[in-house]
């Protein structure tokens, strides 16, 4: 999908590389703007902070490739970790069981999203996942009495808090997940079917693809990724907070779209999403280093999203024109 | 009399197909001008040039003797040209008045919408057309015939001087058609020019003064209706050229591969039965909207059915979805390449492997990319698909080449029963012949072919047997060897006669 054919116009290539280019430019700028930016500590900090969104965005990516959306990711994250916290308080101390609880809640939540779409035939997951987002958030507050839960076993906090040779474990996990999903999308039948459904659902149905099963997997997978992101979140923050989720969904969606995916479905790459995730993490970090207030952060991130989507519109137009010219 | 509109030698090219090749036509005020031709003859393209949706590359359009160039539909509307499309452009939730005045709302002095005046005017326009409809009624509460009248009233409100009607009677009842005919005559008496497209010849004789016939994008004849007969209209519509080019091979016929009995989907088709054997091409003839594609969608498990049974190779099967159909050896080359056939943004190789990815091109869930490429190359060679690279998006290809990709995709699933729906629509003669050769190759291998086609030369040229459908029913069956295996018999059945 991301084949860069140098035979095509330089403009086309430039647009494909735009997010990567802005990442590089931003890094160079920050290096000069803040003496702290290029320090190893700071670099590792950026990666650690990016890890949660990175996992959520990975699930979001395949949802968006199928022309869907999952607005409940923040609630899934919160509900899966606080359920694990409730289990902990109820006396479960075996870390394996705790993790299984967390992951099971995430997958189950995602599968419910999938079923709303495929069994109840609700029109678009935009609405149904707003519904489950609220329900999930409510449940998370309900079962915790709105209080954070602390005291998780060290081994559960390790992925989010630990380092290997100075490198954050969380980001290593992210890299593994990204490589696996990249392989899944590009080398497996399932991956191909995911792109086909987003590219043309009718054609996929007629071609005998089990569209409902694939969609169920996609939403279940998004839930799974959210629960993993939750575990990393616990390591970083040291607590399961029922309100852990709120901005996760928007950051994840922004990262995916900045990375070149489209709401109309059928396109999007793992590498692009990674660039999107890093870009957002970098901007937040840079603004922090330069002591910008959070109001300014909101504004800058908002502008970046709009510019990224605009770049996508221009890119599509340029590609179309290049195709027409190729025929002339 | 001054010509209302004159079209001089217009030409319109689409990727891979020349839709209009020097077509001319003129309409006088008060004239009802029939525009006839088979599907794909270029009628729709011609209309779209007149309404500003397409811009012809060559030729002129003159309104009142002055040359015009429509860049957009608005300009055509402003010059008094309006079109009643087959698919009505109404907004069901809004009132009749709203639908009539959409885009040209009347306002009071204070700038508010002047519904009093609009309701009154809407009522006026409708009663001119003999319609007593309360203008406050929501559009969705009206029948198709009445909705059409509202669209005509909208044309009147825009001071239309030329009204184009694209198969206006296609979904109307007999009574509604009578009313429509009255309205057409009324408009003509008011000196409105009418271009009337229809597939029903009796209507043409009933209401038209002139006819213009197109075939394969070319202007064949413009003639006074009085000088035409049923036979001469049909002869002019049906090309002889293609017939001679069709490379039909007759192969020995084997056992029965597919049998459908009593297939019913209420309101769409009823009690459809047919069968096809190995080595045989079964043609499904009929007019657009006769329910042929719908029947096949039912067989293939895309739509639910209300009754009927399907046998594959002598065994009764239950096909609930396309997965079942494919598992039973069926393939369905859909009519609508862009809508149901291809993932346009995806590569040619990926589209070619779409159907059989799981079965033929993967191991343990992983795609065997080498195999995909190799088979894609074979497909491209065998079907002579013209491409630059297998990685190019399939949407870049011409219509004919896109169709070959759809066919290749199904060939790769190695089916026994191959169903084609309008397989040569919108592609050029050369590509058509190649599609026919694919059918020959399939029957030679002993496979069964079902072909839905609205092009008679194609039906007669390629089919070993033909069933004719009309309004969701099978009208009869014809054998290639029988003496009445000809256009007249099929046309008659398609228009309601018995075989």
């Amino acid at each position: 999908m991301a084949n860069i054919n140098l035979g095509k116009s330089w403009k086309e290539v430039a647009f494909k590389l735009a997010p990567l280019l802005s990442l590089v430019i931003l890094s160079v700028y920050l290096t000069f703007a803040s003496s702290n930016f290029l320090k190893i500590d700071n670099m590792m900090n950026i990666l650690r902070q990016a890890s949660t969104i990175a996992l959520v965005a990975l699930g979001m990516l395949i949802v968006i490739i199928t022309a869907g959306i999952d607005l409940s990711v923040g609630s899934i994250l919160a509900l899966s970790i606080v359920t694990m916290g409730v289990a902990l308080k109820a006396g479960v101390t075996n870390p394996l069981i705790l993790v299984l609880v967390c992951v099971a809640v995430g997958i189950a939540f995602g599968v419910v999203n999938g079923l709303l779409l495929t069994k109840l035939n609700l029109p678009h997951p935009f609405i149904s996942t707003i519904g489950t987002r609220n329900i999930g958030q409510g449940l998370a507050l309900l079962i915790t009495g709105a209080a954070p839960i602390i005291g998780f076993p060290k081994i559960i906090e390790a992925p989010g808090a630990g380092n290997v040779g100075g490198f954050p474990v969380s980001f290593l996990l992210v890299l593994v997940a990204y490589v696996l999903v990249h392989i899944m999308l590009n080398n497996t039948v399932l991956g191909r079917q995911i792109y086909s459904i987003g590219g043309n659902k009718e054609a996929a149905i007629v071609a005998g693809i089990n569209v409902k099963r694939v969609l169920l997997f996609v939403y279940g997978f998004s839930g799974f990724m959210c629960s993993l992101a939750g575990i990393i979140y616990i390591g970083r923050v040291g607590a399961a907070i029922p309100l852990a989720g709120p901005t996760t969904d928007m950051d994840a969606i922004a990262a995916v779209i900045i990375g070149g995916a489209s709401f109309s479905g059928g396109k999007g790459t793992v590498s692009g999403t990674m660039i999107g995730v890093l870009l957002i993490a970098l901007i937040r970090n840079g603004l922090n280093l330069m002591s910008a207030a959070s109001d300014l952060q909101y504004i800058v991130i908002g502008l970046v999203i709009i510019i990224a989507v605009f770049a996508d519109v221009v890119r599509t137009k340029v590609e179309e024109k290049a195709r027409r010219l190729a025929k002339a | 009399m001054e010509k209302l509109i004159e079209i001089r030698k217009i030409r319109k090219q689409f990727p891979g197909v020349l839709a209009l090749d020097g077509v001319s036509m003129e309409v006088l005020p008060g004239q009802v001008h029939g525009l006839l031709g088979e599907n794909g003859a270029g009628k729709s393209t011609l209309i779209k040039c007149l309404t500003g949706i397409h811009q012809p590359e060559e030729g002129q359009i003159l309104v009142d003797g002055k040359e015009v160039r429509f860049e957009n539909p608005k300009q055509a509307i402003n010059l008094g040209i309006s079109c009643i499309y087959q698919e009505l452009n109404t907004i069901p939730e809004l009132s009749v008045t709203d639908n009539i005045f959409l885009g040209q709302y009347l306002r009071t002095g204070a700038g508010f919408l002047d519904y009093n005046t609009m309701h009154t005017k809407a009522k006026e326009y409708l009663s001119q057309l003999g319609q007593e409809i309360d203008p406050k009624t929501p559009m969705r509460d009206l029948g198709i015939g009445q909705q059409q009248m509202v669209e005509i009233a909208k044309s009147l409100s825009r001071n239309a001087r030329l009204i184009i009607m694209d198969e206006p009677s296609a979904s109307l009842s007999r009574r509604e058609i009578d009313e429509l005919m009255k309205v057409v005559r009324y408009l003509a008496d008011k000196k409105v020019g009418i271009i009337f497209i229809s597939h029903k010849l009796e209507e043409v004789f009933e209401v038209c003064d002139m006819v213009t016939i197109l075939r394969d994008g070319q202007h064949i004849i413009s003639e006074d209706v009085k000088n035409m007969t049923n036979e001469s209209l049909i002869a002019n519509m049906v090309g002889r050229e293609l017939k001679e080019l069709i490379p039909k091979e007759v192969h020995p016929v084997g056992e029965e591969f597919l049998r459908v009995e009593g297939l019913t989907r209420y309101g769409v088709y009823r009690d459809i039965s047919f069968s096809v054997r190995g080595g045989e091409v079964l043609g499904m003839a009929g007019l657009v909207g006769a329910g042929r594609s719908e029947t096949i969608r039912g067989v293939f498990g895309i739509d639910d059915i209300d009754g009927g049974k399907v046998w594959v190779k002598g065994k009764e099967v239950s096909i609930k979805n396309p997965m079942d159909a494919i598992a039973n050896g069926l393939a369905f080359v859909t009519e609508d390449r862009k809508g149901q056939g291809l993932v346009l943004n995806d590569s040619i190789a990926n589209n070619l492997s779409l159907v059989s990815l799981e079965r033929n091109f993967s191991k343990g869930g992983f795609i065997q990319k080498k195999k995909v490429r190799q088979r894609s190359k074979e497909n491209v060679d065998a079907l002579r698909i013209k491409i630059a690279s297998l990685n190019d998006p399939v949407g870049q290809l011409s219509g004919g080449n896109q169709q070959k990709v759809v066919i290749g995709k199904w060939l790769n699933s190695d089916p026994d029963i191959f169903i084609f729906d309008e397989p040569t629509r919108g592609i050029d003669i050369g590509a058509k012949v190649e599609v026919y050769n694919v059918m020959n190759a399939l029957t030679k291998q002993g496979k069964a072919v079902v072909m839905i086609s609205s092009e008679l030369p194609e039906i007669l040229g390629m089919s070993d047997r033909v069933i004719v459908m009309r309004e969701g029913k099978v009208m009869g069956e014809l054998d290639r060897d029988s003496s009445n295996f000809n256009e007249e018999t099929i046309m008659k059945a398609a228009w309601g006669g018995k075989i």
Side-chain angles (χ1 to χ4, degrees):
Chain A
M1 290 250 111
N3 284 342
I4 294 164
N5 182 345
L6 288 173
K8 289 177 185 163
S9 79
W10 63 270
K11 260 191 187 168
E12 207 175 322
V13 177
F15 275 113
K16 282 215 163 121
L17 294 178
L20 185 61
L21 215 61
S22 27
L23 191 64
V24 172
I25 292 169
L26 189 63
S27 307
V28 172
Y29 170 75
L30 287 173
T31 308
F32 287 104
S34 163
S35 54
N36 285 327
F37 175 74
L38 210 55
K39 291 191 173 147
I40 293 289
D41 271 5
N42 187 49
M43 287 286 146
M44 295 306 125
N45 196 25
I46 293 173
L47 295 183
R48 194 171 297 115
Q49 282 170 351
S51 297
T52 318
I53 293 299
L55 291 176
V56 176
L58 194 57
M60 187 69 78
L61 170 68
I62 69 166
V63 170
I64 287 182
I65 292 175
T66 64
I69 195 140
D70 185 350
L71 294 176
S72 68
V73 286
S75 294
I76 303 182
L77 188 157
L79 185 62
S80 40
I81 56 177
V82 298
T83 311
M84 174 166 68
V86 169
L88 178 75
K89 283 211 302 196
V92 180
T93 49
N94 183 332
L96 184 64
I97 294 177
L98 286 173
V99 168
L100 282 178
V101 166
C102 179
V103 167
V105 171
I107 293 176
F109 199 138
V111 167
V112 168
N113 282 334
L115 288 173
L116 290 177
L117 181 63
T118 59
K119 281 281 177 253
L120 295 193
N121 295 316
L122 298 189
H124 193 277
F126 189 93
I127 300 300
S128 53
T129 58
I130 286 182
T132 52
R133 172 189 219 247
N134 282 294
I135 294 169
Q137 189 60 73
L139 288 175
L141 289 165
L142 180 74
I143 61 174
T144 55
I149 297 167
I150 53 168
F152 287 96
K154 280 279 163 282
I155 184 106
I156 287 182
E157 294 190 356
N163 292 300
V164 178
F167 199 84
V169 176
S170 57
F171 203 75
L172 286 176
L173 288 174
V174 166
L175 288 178
V176 171
Y178 270 56
V179 169
L180 289 178
V181 171
H182 177 83
I183 292 171
M184 191 265 284
L185 283 177
N186 290 285
N187 296 294
T188 69
V189 173
L190 181 63
R192 198 72 266 147
Q193 290 176 337
I194 288 170
Y195 280 109
S196 307
I197 290 172
N200 186 344
K201 195 171 168 190
E202 272 281 303
I205 292 171
V206 175
I209 291 172
N210 196 333
V211 172
K212 294 191 167 181
R213 200 179 65 190
V214 174
L215 287 176
L216 213 52
F217 168 82
V218 163
Y219 284 88
F221 183 80
S222 174
F224 172 60
M225 281 323 224
C226 294
S227 62
L228 292 190
I231 292 172
I232 283 170
Y233 176 90
I234 287 181
R236 193 159 58 85
V237 178
I241 303 172
L243 285 170
T247 62
T248 332
D249 44 6
M250 291 306 147
D251 275 3
I253 292 168
V256 170
I257 299 297
I258 290 172
S262 151
F263 283 127
S264 49
K267 64 182 207 175
T269 59
V270 168
S271 53
T273 303
M274 175 58 84
I275 291 169
V277 166
L278 291 179
L279 201 58
I280 288 185
L282 217 59
I283 292 167
R284 286 206 194 278
N285 177 263
L287 291 167
N288 273 333
L289 288 182
M290 291 189 286
S291 318
S294 65
D295 45 14
L296 188 61
Q297 292 199 19
Y298 278 116
I299 293 169
V300 172
I301 300 258
L303 288 174
V304 168
I305 292 169
I306 290 169
I307 292 167
V309 179
F310 178 66
D312 185 55
V313 170
V314 177
R315 176 169 59 201
T316 313
K317 271 195 185 153
V318 169
E319 280 174 6
E320 251 173 39
K321 192 171 176 192
R323 262 174 227 167
R324 277 207 315 276
L325 292 180
K327 275 186 190 163
Chain B
M1 204 184 326
E2 176 117 10
K3 289 163 193 162
L4 184 55
I5 194 156
E6 186 178 357
I7 298 158
R8 285 188 192 154
K9 298 210 164 298
I10 63 170
R11 181 186 150 93
K12 178 74 195 170
Q13 171 94 47
F14 291 113
V17 58
L18 183 55
L20 291 175
D21 186 6
V23 170
S24 302
M25 177 177 181
E26 50 187 61
V27 182
L28 306 177
Q31 184 183 60
V32 182
H33 197 129
L35 180 59
L36 306 185
E38 292 193 304
N39 300 313
K43 293 168 299 186
S44 304
T45 312
L46 182 61
I47 291 171
K48 285 178 181 162
C49 288
L50 278 179
T51 51
I53 295 171
H54 289 330
Q55 284 73 40
E57 284 111 29
E58 284 174 30
Q60 297 165 296
I61 297 173
L62 291 84
V63 176
D64 297 327
K66 276 193 284 266
E67 181 169 358
V68 291
R69 283 201 155 272
F70 298 137
E71 301 294 334
N72 57 53
K74 188 94 192 154
Q75 293 175 350
I77 291 171
N78 288 342
L79 275 176
I81 299 176
S82 78
C83 183
I84 318 289
Y85 292 97
Q86 203 178 342
E87 304 289 332
L88 299 174
N89 286 318
T90 58
I91 304 177
E93 299 305 322
L94 293 185
S95 74
V96 167
T97 300
D98 282 304
N99 273 283
I100 290 177
F101 287 95
L102 202 67
Q104 42 161 6
Y105 278 116
L106 303 179
R107 283 165 219 271
T108 62
F112 294 107
L113 293 178
D114 185 0
Y115 268 110
N116 283 335
T117 315
M118 285 193 287
H119 283 316
T120 316
K121 286 200 161 195
K123 212 172 164 61
E124 244 173 62
Y125 291 128
L126 287 165
S127 62
Q128 278 181 42
L129 302 176
Q131 301 295 312
E132 296 309 320
I133 302 170
D134 179 1
K136 290 173 188 153
T137 321
M139 204 66 172
R140 66 178 140 73
D141 289 351
L142 304 184
I144 290 289
Q146 286 180 312
Q147 292 194 21
Q148 200 171 53
M149 290 298 168
V150 173
E151 286 251 19
I152 296 173
K154 182 166 151 189
S155 300
L156 289 180
S157 77
R158 291 177 161 173
N159 299 316
R161 295 185 303 145
L162 177 72
I163 300 182
I164 302 165
M165 299 187 181
D166 187 1
E167 291 199 50
S169 63
S171 34
L172 299 188
S173 69
R174 185 64 242 178
R175 199 181 51 78
E176 287 173 324
I177 293 175
D178 289 341
E179 241 174 285
L180 174 71
M181 294 298 160
K182 254 188 248 159
V183 165
V184 169
R185 293 282 21 146
Y186 167 79
L187 292 170
D189 288 342
K190 278 189 59 177
K191 294 297 166 209
V192 174
I194 310 243
I195 295 180
F196 190 87
I197 297 176
S198 176
H199 277 295
K200 301 182 184 168
L201 295 188
E202 73 270 14
E203 286 176 5
V204 173
F205 287 109
E206 188 181 336
V207 80
C208 295
D209 308 308
M210 285 282 288
V211 283
T212 288
I213 297 177
L214 304 184
R215 186 205 307 152
D216 295 333
Q218 291 184 331
H219 179 223
I220 302 302
I221 189 175
S222 286
E223 184 58 72
D224 200 313
V225 170
K226 289 193 208 77
N227 304 330
M228 302 297 282
T229 61
N230 248 326
E231 287 67 34
S232 64
L233 285 180
I234 289 172
N236 277 298
M237 278 193 280
V238 178
R240 305 287 156 186
E241 297 90 334
L242 183 61
K243 204 169 172 181
E244 284 136 32
L245 282 173
I246 290 180
K248 171 67 179 173
E249 295 169 13
V250 176
H251 293 291
V253 169
E255 55 166 324
E256 186 178 272
F257 273 22
L258 175 70
R259 184 146 60 95
V260 172
E261 258 180 34
L263 203 72
T264 299
R265 181 175 162 90
Y266 294 120
V268 187
Y269 49 84
R270 184 177 279 265
D271 204 18
I272 305 289
S273 301
F274 63 89
S275 73
V276 59
R277 289 168 292 175
E280 176 184 56
V281 177
L282 174 74
M284 290 177 90
L287 301 174
V288 172
R292 297 165 300 165
S293 305
E294 290 78 1
T295 303
I296 294 300
R297 285 173 66 89
V299 172
F300 207 74
I302 300 173
D303 301 331
D304 294 336
I305 54 171
D306 296 322
K309 292 174 176 176
V310 176
W311 283 263
V312 171
K313 293 190 174 175
K315 216 178 82 199
E316 189 178 341
V317 294
S318 159
I319 295 176
K320 294 228 179 322
N321 52 48
M323 287 168 266
D324 294 343
I326 293 165
N328 277 300
L330 272 72
F332 183 20
V333 177
T334 47
E335 171 185 11
D336 177 7
R337 288 187 289 272
K338 295 193 165 90
Q340 294 150 15
L342 296 168
V343 184
L344 288 173
N345 281 327
D346 214 345
S347 72
I348 294 161
N350 284 340
N351 272 284
L352 280 168
S353 55
L354 186 64
V355 178
S356 43
L357 201 54
E358 198 154 7
R359 203 145 48 100
N360 295 338
F361 298 107
S362 70
K363 220 173 196 172
F366 282 85
I367 299 171
Q368 297 165 298
K369 291 198 170 182
K370 252 191 189 160
K371 207 169 161 189
V372 170
R373 288 197 72 80
Q374 195 190 335
R375 179 66 75 86
S376 301
K377 273 187 199 146
E378 288 168 21
N379 292 147
V380 165
D381 289 343
L383 295 166
R384 293 202 279 164
I385 308 174
K386 291 188 201 86
I387 62 163
S389 152
L390 283 172
N391 295 326
D392 285 346
V394 75
Q396 284 183 18
L397 300 179
S398 71
N401 285 306
Q402 285 187 8
Q403 182 69 327
K404 289 178 187 175
V405 172
V406 179
I407 292 173
K409 158 181 110 167
W410 287 109
L411 286 174
N412 288 338
S413 77
D414 207 25
D416 291 324
I417 302 152
F418 223 104
I419 305 168
F420 292 90
D421 191 356
E422 303 288 1
T424 66
R425 164 153 317 159
I427 67 180
D428 59 36
I429 294 267
K432 285 185 183 187
V433 172
E434 292 180 46
V435 171
Y436 302 140
N437 280 324
V438 171
M439 292 184 199
N440 282 333
L442 289 168
T443 47
K444 191 175 180 185
Q445 292 164 35
K447 305 193 172 201
V449 172
V450 177
M451 176 183 69
I452 298 175
S453 173
S454 302
E455 297 192 30
L456 278 180
E458 179 167 290
I459 283 280
L460 290 166
M462 285 308 295
S463 311
D464 295 290
R465 263 185 320 124
V466 176
I467 59 170
V468 186
M469 281 184 67
R470 177 188 166 79
E471 291 174 354
K473 291 195 201 73
V474 175
M475 302 301 287
E477 186 177 323
L478 277 171
D479 211 90
R480 191 177 187 83
D481 301 328
S482 64
S483 58
N484 59 350
F485 189 75
N486 55 36
E487 284 158 17
E488 286 68 32
T489 317
I490 294 175
M491 280 253 186
K492 227 167 59 192
W495 277 306
K498 275 277 171 221
I499 291 179

